[in-house]
Amino acid sequence: MTEKALQVRSEVPEQMKWDITAIYKTRAEFDAAVEGTKAAVEEFVHKYEGQLTVAETIIAAIKEYEELMQTQVWLNYYAYLPVSADISDPKNMELYRWIGNLGAEWSAQLSFFDAELVESDAAVLEQVAAEAPQYAIFIEKVKDQKQIQLAPTVEKALAQLQPALSAPQSIFEQIRSSDMDFGTFTVEGKDYPLSFVLYEDYYMYHPNTAIRRAAFEQFSTVLGKYQNTMAETYYTQLQKEKTVATMRGFESIFDYLLYNQNVDKELYNRQIDVIMKDLAPVMQKYITHVKEENGLDKMTYADIKIDLDHEFAPTVTVEESKNLVQKAISVLGQDYTNLVMRAYPERWVDFAQNKGKRSGAFCATVYGVHPYVLMSWTDQLSDVYTLLHELGHAGQGILSSENNSILSARMSLYLIEAPSTFNELLLTDSLKKDSEDPRMERFALTRMISKTYFHNYITHLLEAAYQREVYKLIDAGQGFDAAKLSELKRAVLEQFWGDAVEINEGAELTWMRQIHYYMGLYSYTYSAGLTIATQAFLRVKEEGQSAVADWLKFLTLGGQLKPVEAAKVAGVDITTSKPLDDTIQYLNDSVDRIIALTKEMN
């Protein structure tokens, strides 16, 4: 990415965009599917409401419900993908809101299905699972819902209210992607354009300290103008979560949000506490080395994402990335490699940089079609890490879809980041293998630290540590304003970085930058997934094909097993802190190796 202004979406070459015609070839086909779904939902209600009392009828209903869910997934993503690529186009937003409202209406109409299944006799549900084993996992989830299910009329009302209940996330995205005007900043008489995406994808890593710090100052100044609106939006989100938690009988908002992840507070708290305590010294050592090698007067929060060796940063085009991706994942076998490499010719990935595009990256698994990946390609090697991360989600999504019903294909949120971060480790290993140059080895190791672990083990973990403090306030019946959120965020940053990093003015506003806060207890799962990925990766390095086979089996599981059992399939025991301890030791050894390589080179 360069300092030039972003192009509008219409100027982006087709090969840099994803191809959503794999979902529906034309808008007319999409509209026909909408009308067909309206009729199918009405028919389903007429046919099954009040009738789900015997196994034979329930099995028939589940089969039809599967088809309805798949069609709704297609409709939702056909509307969601364009608005993610360009939220500034009013036609995209109009379509997205229309489908969102229709989806809420359909969910309300179909709410009887879950309600009647939950109220069914246990013996009938057992019979369903025995006669249709492909739905056994789904039936287990139905039985789990018995203790938190509300009256059918209340469940229907909640479904109808879904567009309003999900509004905080949409408002956040609108403020971030559409309303914030970051203008320009000036360094040594030259003006530089700034946007949310330009800062997070480019200036935050800029090798010129004056430009990097000036961009941070301007970025923070603009964020500050919106902090009160953002704080109120976030407060609304948390009040909604707390209200629903109470309605469903949970004493704590933490118990409610962890319930669907199938993990307890011990796993959640351990992930945060161990990293905050034991990884902090390792990262302070690393960031101090980065400061010294870059000759900085001090390491400020505006500097923490810079490269150790910015002069050794190979550029990579989209075309050149194909070879790097293929080499990295080849250890997982030809079938997996062929599966993932389809992303290029089938245009799963939206590489473009354009106005109105949401920042960051994601992978959307469109069940029955193929995944879609959003990112902004900047011709940096770090983009290959982002791409491989999202393609890790994509590969897992396809393998899970091929081996599970749509009703049970999704992994627990606790596990969801393991496949993605595993692929990042494969890339680092591949880069190291391809060169005997100590500078290249150091580059690969620093890229692993600064990209894979910094992003997942630090950035998102510090989000989680801050988020935990905010949720404690809500659980205690207290409120907050922007100043309180900034106070909590600053405290977490200072605790982790200690004297190694100056938490300069503006750093406390980092709470305004991440959409994860509107997705429940998601942020901590990045480090949870990477812990599993690290241990599985080290197994592959040590044991070879047997560990590869275990990992590929893990990728097919979907929601078949709860996190503790699923991790065991990959050869990882998460019932103790050992995987975390071993991963932190691996990072410490890597940092020590980086420092040793620097001394060798000097």
Side-chain angles (χ1 to χ4, degrees):
M1 187 175 286
T2 65
E3 295 94 346
K4 67 182 181 181
L6 291 173
Q7 59 191 337
V8 297
R9 184 72 177 174
S10 60
E11 297 172 345
V12 176
E14 286 299 305
Q15 65 269 23
M16 294 293 284
K17 301 177 184 177
W18 48 30
D19 179 17
I20 66 169
T21 63
I23 306 176
Y24 292 108
K25 288 185 172 60
T26 63
R27 175 60 190 268
E29 187 177 317
F30 167 81
D31 288 339
V34 170
E35 295 305 313
T37 302
K38 288 179 181 177
V41 168
E42 291 178 4
E43 173 62 22
F44 186 87
V45 174
H46 175 74
K47 187 174 180 181
Y48 292 112
E49 188 169 20
Q51 305 300 313
L52 301 179
T53 56
V54 297
E56 183 180 2
T57 304
I58 291 174
I59 292 170
I62 293 175
K63 289 179 180 178
E64 292 186 31
Y65 187 76
E66 271 188 307
E67 295 174 6
L68 284 172
M69 290 302 99
Q70 177 166 296
T71 303
Q72 286 195 52
V73 165
W74 293 356
L75 293 173
N76 287 339
Y77 279 121
Y78 190 84
Y80 175 70
L81 295 176
V83 83
S84 297
D86 186 7
I87 199 172
S88 65
D89 188 333
K91 292 181 180 178
N92 291 343
M93 183 54 69
E94 180 183 353
L95 181 64
Y96 176 61
R97 285 175 173 160
W98 179 51
I99 288 300
N101 290 333
L102 280 177
E105 181 181 324
W106 293 333
S107 294
Q109 290 177 267
L110 296 171
S111 62
F112 80 90
F113 180 71
D114 284 333
E116 291 189 24
L117 287 183
V118 168
E119 292 174 355
S120 298
D121 290 339
V124 173
L125 293 176
E126 291 292 344
Q127 185 181 351
V128 171
E131 295 182 8
Q134 69 272 31
Y135 301 132
I137 304 162
F138 173 66
I139 293 300
E140 281 300 311
K141 291 180 178 179
V142 168
K143 291 191 289 187
D144 286 343
Q145 291 295 110
K146 280 182 177 290
Q147 58 186 314
I148 66 168
Q149 191 80 359
L150 301 173
T153 54
V154 179
E155 293 289 354
K156 185 173 184 178
L158 286 174
Q160 289 172 318
L161 285 169
Q162 192 54 43
L165 294 176
S166 61
Q169 181 174 335
S170 299
I171 294 170
F172 169 84
E173 195 62 76
Q174 281 284 3
I175 296 171
R176 183 174 69 161
S177 300
S178 295
D179 288 347
M180 288 185 178
D181 183 353
F182 292 90
T184 61
F185 64 95
T186 305
V187 176
E188 296 180 350
K190 181 179 178 181
D191 292 336
Y192 296 84
L194 184 63
S195 69
F196 200 104
V197 173
L198 271 171
Y199 180 75
E200 295 229 323
D201 290 349
Y202 179 64
Y203 290 116
M204 189 163 59
Y205 308 93
H206 204 288
N208 185 305
T209 300
I211 293 175
R212 184 175 63 251
R213 290 179 180 175
F216 177 81
E217 184 177 352
Q218 173 71 1
F219 184 70
S220 300
T221 297
V222 175
L223 284 179
K225 294 177 181 179
Y226 293 85
Q227 60 182 308
N228 295 316
T229 303
M230 282 283 206
E232 187 64 25
T233 302
Y234 187 39
Y235 182 70
T236 303
Q237 169 72 17
L238 269 61
Q239 282 297 99
K240 174 199 74 175
E241 291 173 344
K242 179 60 176 177
T243 299
V244 176
T246 302
M247 290 172 64
R248 295 197 181 280
F250 291 95
E251 293 184 3
S252 162
I253 196 170
F254 293 101
D255 294 328
Y256 164 60
L257 294 172
L258 291 171
Y259 182 79
N260 286 330
Q261 294 183 23
N262 289 311
V263 297
D264 56 27
K265 282 189 285 190
E266 181 182 357
L267 277 173
Y268 167 72
N269 286 321
R270 178 196 297 150
Q271 199 70 30
I272 297 173
D273 293 337
V274 171
I275 292 176
M276 288 294 292
K277 175 179 175 290
D278 296 337
L279 182 61
V282 177
M283 289 309 301
Q284 290 168 20
K285 176 171 57 175
Y286 173 75
I287 209 72
T288 299
H289 185 60
V290 172
K291 182 193 77 171
E292 293 169 350
E293 282 300 291
N294 279 273
L296 297 182
D297 56 333
K298 57 185 176 181
M299 176 63 69
T300 75
Y301 192 74
D303 305 316
I304 59 174
K305 291 295 185 75
I306 63 172
D307 288 332
L308 176 69
D309 183 0
H310 66 82
E311 293 180 354
F312 191 76
T315 58
V316 181
T317 65
V318 171
E319 184 63 29
E320 291 167 342
S321 73
K322 296 178 182 178
N323 186 47
L324 291 174
V325 169
Q326 187 164 354
K327 276 186 178 181
I329 62 177
S330 62
V331 67
L332 297 181
Q334 196 61 50
D335 288 345
Y336 179 87
T337 302
N338 291 342
L339 175 69
V340 170
M341 294 304 293
R342 286 169 45 199
Y344 289 97
E346 296 179 15
R347 286 173 51 203
W348 297 1
V349 186
D350 198 276
F351 294 104
Q353 301 170 36
N354 59 260
K355 290 182 179 178
K357 189 171 188 177
R358 60 165 284 181
S359 65
F362 68 71
C363 175
T365 298
V366 185
Y367 189 97
V369 182
H370 61 63
Y372 284 88
V373 169
L374 178 137
M375 63 176 298
S376 294
W377 194 266
T378 65
D379 286 336
Q380 301 298 312
L381 187 59
S382 59
D383 295 328
V384 186
Y385 275 88
T386 301
L387 178 60
L388 258 175
H389 178 104
E390 302 304 338
L391 290 178
H393 286 306
Q396 183 272 329
I398 291 177
L399 291 173
S400 176
S401 297
E402 290 176 348
N403 289 275
N404 297 278
S405 158
I406 191 173
L407 304 177
S408 56
R410 186 168 176 80
M411 276 185 159
S412 163
L413 203 60
Y414 187 89
L415 304 168
I416 205 71
E417 294 299 337
S420 52
T421 51
F422 182 91
N423 277 13
E424 291 190 47
L425 295 174
L426 291 182
L427 176 58
T428 294
D429 195 53
S430 177
L431 292 173
K432 287 169 59 181
K433 284 180 180 176
D434 278 353
S435 176
E436 296 181 0
D437 180 2
R439 195 175 187 185
M440 185 63 197
E441 181 185 352
R442 188 180 72 162
F443 172 81
L445 287 171
T446 56
R447 197 48 80 177
M448 179 185 76
I449 298 288
S450 64
K451 181 65 179 174
T452 303
Y453 286 95
F454 210 123
H455 188 66
N456 300 288
Y457 243 59
I458 301 165
T459 299
H460 294 322
L461 193 281
L462 294 182
E463 291 168 6
Y466 151 79
Q467 186 185 40
R468 182 170 64 173
E469 298 308 307
V470 179
Y471 275 125
K472 286 179 182 177
L473 290 178
I474 298 299
D475 255 352
Q478 301 176 33
F480 56 76
D481 57 10
K484 184 63 177 178
L485 294 179
S486 292
E487 175 192 327
L488 292 174
K489 186 63 180 180
R490 174 174 286 276
V492 167
L493 294 175
E494 289 176 343
Q495 178 188 346
F496 186 84
W497 289 115
D499 296 333
V501 176
E502 177 187 304
I503 308 303
N504 51 315
E505 185 176 355
E508 71 281 355
L509 296 176
T510 304
W511 63 265
M512 298 177 62
R513 293 164 55 180
Q514 186 53 261
I515 201 166
H516 292 158
Y517 301 136
Y518 298 83
M519 302 165 72
L521 298 179
Y522 182 28
S523 294
Y524 91 101
T525 66
Y526 278 87
S527 60
L530 181 51
T531 300
I532 295 169
T534 302
Q535 298 307 300
F537 166 75
L538 294 175
R539 276 197 68 217
V540 168
K541 293 282 292 176
E542 294 169 6
E543 301 174 28
Q545 193 55 45
S546 62
V548 169
D550 289 342
W551 184 250
L552 292 174
K553 183 178 180 181
F554 170 77
L555 297 182
T556 68
L557 290 176
Q560 293 178 31
L561 299 174
K562 294 181 178 179
V564 169
E565 288 73 29
K568 287 179 181 177
V569 172
V572 184
D573 181 2
I574 60 173
T575 60
T576 72
S577 66
K578 188 177 186 305
L580 260 175
D581 297 336
D582 289 349
T583 300
I584 292 172
Q585 184 61 51
Y586 174 64
L587 286 173
N588 189 56
D589 293 344
S590 298
V591 170
D592 287 345
R593 177 61 179 162
I594 288 169
I595 294 172
L597 286 166
T598 297
K599 291 179 179 177
E600 177 184 335
M601 289 164 56
N602 291 339

